[in-house]
Amino acid sequence: MSTTTGFRWIVVPDDPAVEPSRDLVGGKAWSLWRMRSLGLRVPPAFVVTTEACAAHLASGGLPDGLAEELEAGIRLLERSLGRTFGGTERPLLVSVRSGAAVSMPGMMDTILDLGCTDAVETALAAESGDPAFAAEVHRRFTGFYGRLVLGCLEELDDLPDTAAVRAAIAQDGAGEVPADPREQLRAAVAAVFASSRSRRAVAYRNHHGIPDLGTAVTVQAMVFGNLDDDSGTGVLFTRSPVDGAREPYGEYLPRAQGEDVVSGRVTPEPLAHLAASHPDVHAELLAAAECLDTEGRDAQDIEFTVQGGELYLLQSRPAKRTARAAVRIAVALVDEGAITPAEAVGRVTAEQVRTLLRPSIDPAAADVAELLAAGAAASPGVATGLAVATPEEARPGTVLVRRATSPDDVQGMIAADAVVTEQGGATSHAAVVSRALDTPCVVGCGAGTVDALVGRTVTVDATAGRVYAGEVATTAVDETGDDDLRRLCDWAEAAAPVRVVAPGADVPAPVFDADAAAPEELGERLPDLPPGTRTVRGALFTTADGVRHALDGGVEVIVAAHRLPVLLAAAAHAAAQSGADERRPA
């Protein structure tokens, strides 16, 4: 199995000497190649490329030759593991995972336990000696397939067995799960392709300005975290994604599959649980995490499964992080010699710093406020709004309150000012997506939270993990009082092609003051700068567009109350222009 076997639509990323194209295989499969290259244990896999996805989306069907290459890929996995796909002895089951070139956690579909049939369940029961485990695998797969491939709208997760799930799918008129594992695979690949155009995926891309590059599909041999008492699954961040602290941050759920952790339906145990129950596995995990953090020169988000006491790594990617963590990690990596100050400037956005400079809860006001709920602080920040129960009701000025969030809630999470959940931990879907959005989020507030909050105006203090009644007073944050922000400001000053000064500083004339201009002079476009303008001031010139406009107009000085966001925007614009110049033909 190698990357150079001449397939048209699939890639086998197992040759350490041949780095696959991230654009072609997606970030997830690229990380499998990297981990394998580092000698870490990953289940074998092959990847259906983004080119196949583009061809599928253009034609509405699997491209010619893909079905045959899927079969070839399965045969490679069978030979690698000594198992048989759909076999009645030592059956091979696979996961079918989405994976775009740009990470979009939880936005596209993944189907686990594929290849399960009645006969495979019997074989799995005989091999494991645990019919209940085999039945649970079959029930889970049938639910995955019914919901994500057949489009069943019924609630399937809580049904007791495969027969009940099949009955619910039939009652919904969604069709039947094929008895042929190869038919299951072809349909699952098509469904994952289609999920790249789902409403939630489109909304996420639009929110983050990510181009539509489709998705690759990783077909990977299953490992079972729900096999026995020596099995489990979890997520580990090499540094805290909440505050950037240099310490492992994660959760572990015994006898479970990864979906149980990220869905937020179950609140996992802290990572210390794995350390206590399986210290050797925990030590191996931390060693792998340190290796990936060092090699990646960035904080990593690692998904792992333990099967029968053996650790398998399923994915490693740069961790989604809060604005506070982005600043702390960038500064720490400079101190560790991993990146340069100029690289640190490029890893923090102006918008993240603006988020950090938002007001925080006034401690005196919090002391007398009515506490309505408390949970884990998953994404810090403060927001006040009307608590609503559904993503359809969410808009600016509201707080979305759910038992747990799912990918279907993403549009509401983007629209709302804060998110609160009853269930889930710090690595749940609600927590991960909220950190990516820099939306204040408190998770795991307990049963009854939805009923207690919805309909009321509440203030979410997601830094402390608390929800208060009404609007609670806040206090302003000063960037000069934060050592990390001050150091980043010094580095950004060296990288930015413009001087940024506080109001009241001496500046060269002539000065253009956008705040002093008549509204009719501004219109909808950024104002034309008078010839020879050397200094600008006004709120317009603190935005990314305003900074670009000033730089393109030859301005030397921008006056702004908060200097760092403007410096970062200026440095980003200069870097983008430099990159464009390098790409331009001579």
Side-chain angles (χ1 to χ4, degrees), residues 32-53:
L32 295 177
W33 168 82
R34 185 167 70 103
M35 291 190 291
R36 183 180 284 268
S37 301
L38 293 169
L40 303 174
R41 190 182 302 111
V42 299
F46 66 89
V47 190
V48 187
T49 66
T50 52
E51 288 182 352
C53 178

Side-chain angles (χ1 to χ4, degrees), residues 538-565:
L540 276 176
F541 295 108
T542 64
T543 67
D545 287 344
V547 170
R548 282 195 292 271
H549 188 59
L551 293 179
D552 292 344
V555 164
E556 300 171 28
V557 179
I558 299 175
V559 181
H562 291 303
R563 297 173 60 234
L564 182 52

Side-chain angles (χ1 to χ4, degrees), residues 219-230:
V219 180
Q220 186 170 35
M222 277 296 302
V223 284
F224 297 98
N226 55 341
L227 176 62
D228 54 27
D229 288 340
D230 292 324

